[in-house]
Amino acid sequence: MRRRSLLILGAVALLLVSGCTPTPDPKPTVSVDPSPSATPTPTPDPIVAPTPAFDVTCDDVAAEMSALVGPPAGAVEEHLSLVSMPNWYPGPALYAFQRAGGIACSTGDDSRSWEVTIVPGAQTVITGAESRGGWWGEEARCEGNGMCVLQVVDGDVLVSGLVFDPELAADDAGRIDEGLRRIAAAAVATSTQVELAPSDIVGVECARYLTAVELGEDLGTEVVLRDSFGGWGIPSEVYQVVNGSRICHYASNGNEYESQGFLTITTLPGGAWAFERIEDGTAVEIEGADAALRGVDEFDRPLIDLRLGTDWIRLTTYQGSGISDLTPIAEQVVQNFTVGRPAPQ
């Protein structure tokens, strides 16, 4: 399915929306003479998904949404929607809400879809987004084309909903709003404090990965690095501010909507768990990376995904960029971040 792409980066992001282990039988022990042994190699921490700040799950959301707008149009995914997405979403950004202690649930295709996100720390998120022109208050509206936009605040929980269904009309907004308020109340009733997992890339500036000059030298052309854009919303606030992730866009000089894109770097601090969920990718050796996968995204753009410790970094390139192989650039990014830039000769 081809995805409906929004303008790169500058477009305003559409508002959204273990059981117990049995005790093993004791084993007989064998006594041995003690002998010197080498210092054991440290065992890396297991890669696990973040714990939400409440007990509401995507199954709960799907049950409520099914009652409101009918059965899901496909599988319910635990990430932001791939329908009508800004094209910085594919990859790390899809899982931004989980990193923040929330959840994101979505389903559907171009003809019918929905997305619901829940995030704790609502007042902080709202205040930040509002200061950047990305929050317009609680709302519940369905437009003539069947698109419904909803924002619900309950205590310190924010629930956002985005629904596309040609059968929906303006008077459907109220009952969908009531359903999202039931979801919000359930989240509030089960809320707990959570801490964001530590990460080495939180708040790291784009130039730490790669400067415009470095990429320009690689490509033999002038490159401009853009890391701030003319649009905002709750997903942007969660991704860039709450998580400390980055959007680093390297392009030709000129209008940001019309310039030639060369490379975009997006990140998910503590996102190794989401990296492990990548289904379509071919392993590639990138010196210094714990793991790397080569592939294409939902817009058929070539990419390399990198796992550095617990963090996920994605490099995406574009048609006409002049980049035929991302491997050397990925190695340069890893070198710059993990070791540093070589000393001048």
Side-chain angles (χ1 to χ4, degrees):
M1 178 185 70
R2 299 292 300 173
R3 310 296 180 186
R4 296 201 298 260
S5 170
L6 301 185
L7 287 174
I8 180 70
L9 305 167
V12 177
L14 289 173
L15 295 179
L16 316 174
V17 236
S18 294
C20 298
T21 302
T23 303
D25 294 329
K27 305 290 184 183
T29 59
V30 178
S31 299
V32 296
D33 294 329
S35 59
S37 60
T39 303
T41 301
T43 302
D45 292 334
I47 296 175
V48 295
T51 301
F54 37 74
D55 291 345
V56 178
T57 68
C58 284
D59 287 341
D60 300 321
V61 172
E64 184 67 62
M65 293 302 292
S66 294
L68 294 169
V69 299
V76 176
E77 307 288 351
E78 296 184 358
H79 55 60
L80 292 175
S81 177
L82 292 170
V83 179
S84 293
M85 56 183 168
N87 52 17
W88 57 272
Y89 268 27
L94 290 176
Y95 301 93
F97 281 79
Q98 287 92 326
R99 159 75 178 165
I103 62 174
C105 317
S106 61
T107 186
D109 53 27
D110 288 344
S111 61
R112 179 172 168 265
S113 64
W114 56 255
E115 172 185 86
V116 174
T117 63
I118 316 174
V119 67
Q123 298 310 314
T124 299
V125 173
I126 288 169
T127 299
E130 188 173 32
S131 72
R132 283 171 274 274
W135 172 257
W136 302 274
E138 291 188 80
E139 60 180 328
R141 57 183 172 84
C142 291
E143 300 175 352
N145 61 357
M147 183 180 77
C148 303
V149 180
L150 305 102
Q151 298 284 356
V152 170
V153 181
D154 188 339
D156 210 27
V157 168
L158 168 62
V159 178
S160 302
L162 180 62
V163 184
F164 289 97
D165 190 328
E167 300 298 319
L168 295 175
D171 57 1
D172 290 306
R175 63 183 183 80
I176 300 176
D177 178 74
E178 291 177 0
L180 294 192
R181 291 188 182 279
R182 287 190 290 269
I183 293 173
V188 170
T190 59
S191 288
T192 58
Q193 288 294 115
V194 296
E195 293 185 6
L196 274 64
S199 165
D200 292 333
I201 66 173
V202 170
V204 168
E205 296 300 326
C206 294
R208 172 78 183 276
Y209 301 117
L210 190 68
T211 67
V213 171
E214 287 171 326
L215 184 59
E217 290 175 346
D218 292 339
L219 298 179
T221 189
E222 182 183 6
V223 174
V224 174
L225 169 58
R226 296 187 176 94
D227 56 7
S228 59
F229 308 94
W232 210 262
I234 296 302
S236 294
E237 186 70 23
V238 171
Y239 176 83
Q240 298 189 73
V241 180
V242 178
N243 289 346
S245 300
R246 285 289 174 266
I247 307 172
C248 311
H249 184 58
Y250 303 79
S252 63
N253 205 352
N255 185 295
E256 66 182 87
Y257 298 104
E258 299 173 356
S259 58
Q260 170 65 55
F262 299 127
L263 177 74
T264 295
I265 298 176
T266 51
T267 66
L268 185 64
W273 66 274
F275 175 96
E276 295 296 316
R277 297 188 180 188
I278 298 173
E279 296 180 351
D280 300 320
T282 301
V284 58
E285 287 292 327
I286 301 295
E287 185 176 356
D290 293 284
L293 296 170
R294 186 194 307 277
V296 295
D297 69 6
E298 286 74 11
F299 297 110
D300 294 328
R301 302 176 301 194
L303 61 85
I304 285 184
D305 287 306
L306 302 169
R307 181 173 70 80
L308 303 183
T310 63
D311 301 319
W312 177 13
I313 300 173
R314 170 170 285 195
L315 282 63
T316 305
T317 191
Y318 303 86
Q319 183 176 6
S321 67
I323 300 174
S324 58
D325 184 4
L326 275 168
T327 303
I329 297 173
E331 291 177 341
Q332 190 173 11
V333 168
V334 175
Q335 163 79 23
N336 288 346
F337 184 75
T338 62
V339 180
R341 291 168 170 84
Q345 300 298 314

